[in-house]
């Protein structure tokens, strides 16, 4: 089955992050996995997801890399991509954001959830992902990852809606 791993705070080749080759080797090499961009998004095949996740965590930890990651099936990612919120251009939204996390149960947040500075609005949330809008008036930009981590108490990683769309298009079967 095809999966997508989404790492938090991983930028390939930067200090504190593995190189592209090191990350792919943790997934048994480029025959089994492919990087998407440099942001710690990996598409991989596995017949035993839990075993693969444990092996990847161990291999990366043995190399000094401790970034957390969330995993969705490619089918889940495809379905999630189709649920991106539509935005009215008059709302001056800077970005539509997808966030990923591993919650033990369905979060019970009242939606829409707005950040105190009104630069983030969480529009939808499930047990492992959320769609949000962020604004960027002047030089301040909304921090959806921080807002969700504050409310959920688990590591969160975020990508733009366009990144998710390109990922699904590149690795999809159609």
């Amino acid at each position: 089955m095809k999966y997508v791993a989404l790492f938090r705070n991983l930028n390939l080749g930067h200090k504190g992050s593995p190189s592209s080759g090191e990350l792919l080797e943790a997934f048994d090499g480029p025959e089994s996995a492919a990087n998407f961009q440099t942001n710690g998004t990996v598409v991989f095949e596995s017949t035993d997801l839990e075993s693969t996740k444990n092996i990847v965590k161990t291999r990366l930890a043995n190399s000094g890399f401790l970034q957390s990651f969330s995993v969705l099936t490619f089918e889940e990612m495809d379905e999630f991509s189709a649920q991106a919120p539509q935005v009215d251009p008059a709302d001056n939204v800077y970005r539509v954001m997808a966030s990923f996390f591993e919650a033990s149960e369905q979060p019970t947040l009242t939606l829409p959830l707005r950040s105190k500075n009104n630069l983030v609005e969480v529009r939808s949330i499930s047990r492992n992902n959320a769609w949000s809008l962020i604004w960027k008036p002047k030089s301040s930009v909304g921090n959806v990852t921080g807002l969700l981590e504050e409310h959920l108490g688990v590591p969160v990683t975020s990508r733009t809606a366009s990144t998710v769309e390109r990922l699904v298009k590149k690795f999809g079967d159609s």
Side-chain angles (χ1 to χ4, degrees):
M1 180 174 276
K2 192 184 319 185
Y3 296 93
V4 180
L6 301 129
F7 285 81
R8 183 173 189 323
N9 286 342
L10 192 151
N11 291 298
L12 295 177
H14 289 215
K15 185 177 181 181
S17 293
S19 67
S20 177
E22 288 170 317
L23 185 58
L24 292 180
E25 282 307 313
F27 286 90
D28 285 335
E31 303 79 24
S32 302
N35 286 312
F36 180 70
Q37 299 185 329
T38 60
N39 61 6
T41 304
V42 179
V43 177
F44 66 99
E45 298 275 343
S46 176
T47 57
D48 182 351
L49 178 59
E50 289 309 309
S51 176
T52 299
K53 284 169 58 174
N54 289 332
I55 289 167
V56 168
K57 285 178 188 175
T58 299
R59 287 176 178 165
L60 289 173
N62 288 341
S63 297
F65 305 114
L66 304 173
Q67 289 91 341
S68 63
F69 61 97
S70 300
V71 176
L72 280 77
T73 66
F74 194 83
E75 183 178 323
E76 289 170 326
M77 182 62 80
D78 189 25
E79 291 170 4
F80 176 67
S81 177
Q83 298 167 7
Q86 299 302 308
V87 178
D88 182 341
D91 289 339
N92 295 318
V93 170
Y94 177 61
R95 289 200 172 125
V96 177
M97 298 296 293
S99 298
F100 306 93
F101 45 87
E102 301 267 336
S104 58
E105 57 188 46
Q106 172 70 33
T108 55
L109 301 177
T110 302
L111 298 179
L113 171 67
R114 277 275 192 155
S115 61
K116 290 176 187 168
N117 63 7
N118 286 319
L119 297 181
V120 176
E121 182 176 284
V122 179
R123 289 278 179 97
S124 66
I125 194 162
S126 73
R127 196 183 60 73
N128 62 359
N129 54 55
W131 280 112
S132 304
L133 307 178
I134 61 172
W135 286 266
K136 182 185 176 186
K138 301 181 183 176
S139 61
S140 297
V141 66
N143 179 1
V144 65
T145 300
L147 177 68
L148 286 171
E149 285 183 338
E150 175 186 329
H151 283 275
L152 301 176
V154 298
V156 176
T157 188
S158 299
R159 308 290 189 272
T160 65
S162 59
T163 296
V164 171
E165 183 181 315
R166 284 191 312 275
L167 170 77
V168 168
K169 190 174 194 174
K170 180 174 182 174
F171 292 96
D173 295 328
S174 54

